[in-house]
Amino acid sequence: MHRLLLSTAATLTLALPAFAQDVAVITPYLAQPGTQFYVDAFSERADALGWDVNVVDTAGDVAAVISRIEDAVTQGVDAIVINVDPAQVGAGLQVAADAGIPVVGMDAGSDPLLAVNVTSDGVEMAAETANFVIDAIGGAGNVVMFTFDPFPPVQIRGAEADRIFAEHDGITVIDRITPDVSDGGIADSRAQMEAVLAANPDAGSINAVWAAWDQPALGALQAIEAAGREGEGIVITGIDANPQARDEVAKGGNFKATVAQDFAGIGAAAADAVATLLDGGSFDSDAIFVPTVLITADNAAE
Amino acid sequence: MTLLRRSASLIGMVAIIVFFSVMKPATFPTLGNWLNISQQVSMLLVVSVAMTVVMAMGDFDLSVGAMASLAGVVAAVMFKAGFGMVPALGTALVVGVAAGVANGMLVSLAGILPFIATLATMTVLSGAAFIVSDGRTISGADIPAAFGDFARSGIAIGQDGTRVLRIPSLTIVALAVTAALWLVMEQTSYGRRLYAIGGNAEAARLAGVRVVALRLSAFVFTGAGAAIAGLMYASRVASANPIQGDGLMLTAIAAVFLGQSLTESGQPRVLATLAGVVVLGALDNGLTQMRVDSYVRQVLVGLIILLAVGASALARRRGRAG
């Protein structure tokens, strides 16, 4: 046992070149596709800048994120990047702050203990699709909204769309629906949309469906197709550009647009933010917004 | 031979600590880092020593992780509803005790194998955690600041440069639970009887040990221990979600096995479990400090458990043959 351990130890030593540790990226969510895009883009930029990046995945364990932040602080890294709700890892952020090690959020949420959070602008994404809807229906018509106010990042999208629709006299919001999302959001949105269709049976009585994320948009699309009303020119928009939504947009049917967050852009911008901090710089605002991309039939296949 | 087996495991564990101390002399073998490790393993320690109680009887409790998750969300939901610290934490503990009683009844009265009974209650408790929390993470303003602050507090014992060294509150809770269970298991006839059941339940029964009642009661320790650990976890992350304690279960069983390889009789012992937990915590901490990839780390931890338990099993077999 003793000798075995020593030889394990020797192998470990050989396997690990003596790097100077620089930046720790700590996330509980590496298995999620979005997170992988962030981390890959971050690592690529970090390589170009000559840093040593240690990516730590705690496989869903948020308390372990705190532990690994503490370890990174003990190790004396130059900066830490997290991809988790900062409110849940405050204990670790405090340790980093006490040690004077900057922490950057990669789509993490804003927190006083973060130097800055790099993310997409939810307000901007909502404005983009709301304005798309208004243009597509010629500035006037009846709109059904799907929102979800209990979840803050989605709530701000709905609020921005409310504001934009209210500014246009020709636009009437005939229903503002909060679907039950416990099944993922598609099925209940479909059921709710079927009810709206039944209540507005005349062609042209519904001109558009604006959804604060893609699932309700997909549900509404299913309801419209099932009701045989796909020929009425009802315009549907979503947000997030998930693969199913992209497929529907590419088909050129009622689902006309969605918005893609630039995950790789967020990763690269997070690396740039770390570079700024390592050079002794700082940020005026608590968030850096990375531009998003409107996905329509023209670019959905890309 | 027993001495050799025990010392082999002990030497292995010490070697791990020495190895990290040599590799990271400035950051690993420091008081600050060990206080850190003590806090990082505090929740695992509570679940593991509670698990030791049922494993002493040769039983398991697979529901501890789900119970820890449930305790966290129960307290969080009550905070959200405006209840204070005492009723919220009290209710979570009562749920833990009740789950323990249920497990105990299924195993001892109904006679269902612990693996199956607690697998079923694990599923039930996990589902209950999702129902209670509505599948969401409860955090932010819903959680009283004092609850999250507890996990960040501690008793100041000195200064390391600009940093105040503290014995973390979570460490103190974990050590208190460990001390209490050590007393129960090692210093009372109750504990002796549990080991008697683990040795030979039928012989214990014939010797007048009330096997059914004792087995039932032992599961109350794991239920309550899991609830305490779940509350500690929720305090550490100042939030609760319905899966956050789930990972504790397998690691706790691993810690008990690891500790078992140290004991004279190959039985689970509270202090041996403590050693197992410390080694697992040191591995996580040390390998992170050495920048070992987190997936490689997981493989290594698994292999080291196999090595320790395997070496001990081999030595025992050879001891018996020779």
Side-chain angles (χ1 to χ4, degrees), chain B residues 288-313:
Chain B
T288 307
Q289 287 201 32
M290 289 184 58
R291 310 168 29 105
V292 177
D293 180 274
S294 38
Y295 304 133
V296 174
R297 198 171 72 226
Q298 224 171 326
V299 172
L300 278 177
V301 169
L303 288 179
I304 287 167
I305 293 172
L306 271 183
L307 211 63
V309 177
S312 123

Side-chain angles (χ1 to χ4, degrees), chain A residues 235-280:
Chain A
V235 173
I236 303 173
T237 65
I239 292 177
D240 293 337
N242 73 33
Q244 208 182 341
R246 269 177 191 268
D247 287 349
E248 291 299 341
V249 171
K251 282 182 195 164
N254 295 75
F255 200 155
K256 294 293 185 199
T258 181
V259 186
Q261 297 193 53
D262 182 0
F263 293 117
I266 291 173
D272 292 338
V274 171
T276 303
L277 293 165
L278 292 181
D279 290 344

Side-chain angles (χ1 to χ4, degrees), chain A residues 1-2 4-5 9 12-13 16 19 21-22 30 52-57 61-64 66-68 70-71 74-75 85 87-88 90-91 94 148, chain B residues 8 11-12 15-16 19 23 27 33 36 39-40 136-137 139 152 233 236-239 284-285 287-292 294-295 297 300 307-308 311:
Chain A
M1 174 90 185
H2 189 190
L4 257 172
L5 268 169
L12 263 177
T13 320
L16 291 170
F19 282 131
Q21 161 89 5
D22 279 323
L30 196 59
D52 291 317
V53 176
N54 187 21
V55 179
V56 179
D57 176 25
D61 188 340
V62 178
I66 299 176
S67 298
R68 301 292 82 84
E70 290 166 351
D71 294 347
T74 304
Q75 231 175 299
D85 175 9
Q88 292 182 261
Q94 190 60 57
F148 195 81
Chain B
I11 290 168
I16 289 171
F19 171 69
M23 296 305 294
T27 54
N33 191 47
N36 225 347
Q39 172 163 267
Q40 294 172 356
R136 300 211 185 100
T137 300
S139 67
R152 301 189 200 185
Y233 193 120
R236 180 136 159 99
V237 297
S239 61
D284 260 343
N285 175 280
L287 292 173
T288 307
Q289 287 201 32
M290 289 184 58
R291 310 168 29 105
V292 177
S294 38
Y295 304 133
R297 198 171 72 226
L300 278 177
L307 211 63

Side-chain angles (χ1 to χ4, degrees), chain A residues 224-239:
Chain A
I224 289 167
E225 288 176 350
R229 294 176 67 174
E230 63 269 38
E232 293 177 17
I234 303 174
V235 173
I236 303 173
T237 65
I239 292 177

Side-chain angles (χ1 to χ4, degrees), chain B residues 76 89 134 145 150 153 258-259 321:
Chain B
L89 305 188
D134 214 3
F150 177 75
S153 65
L258 208 50

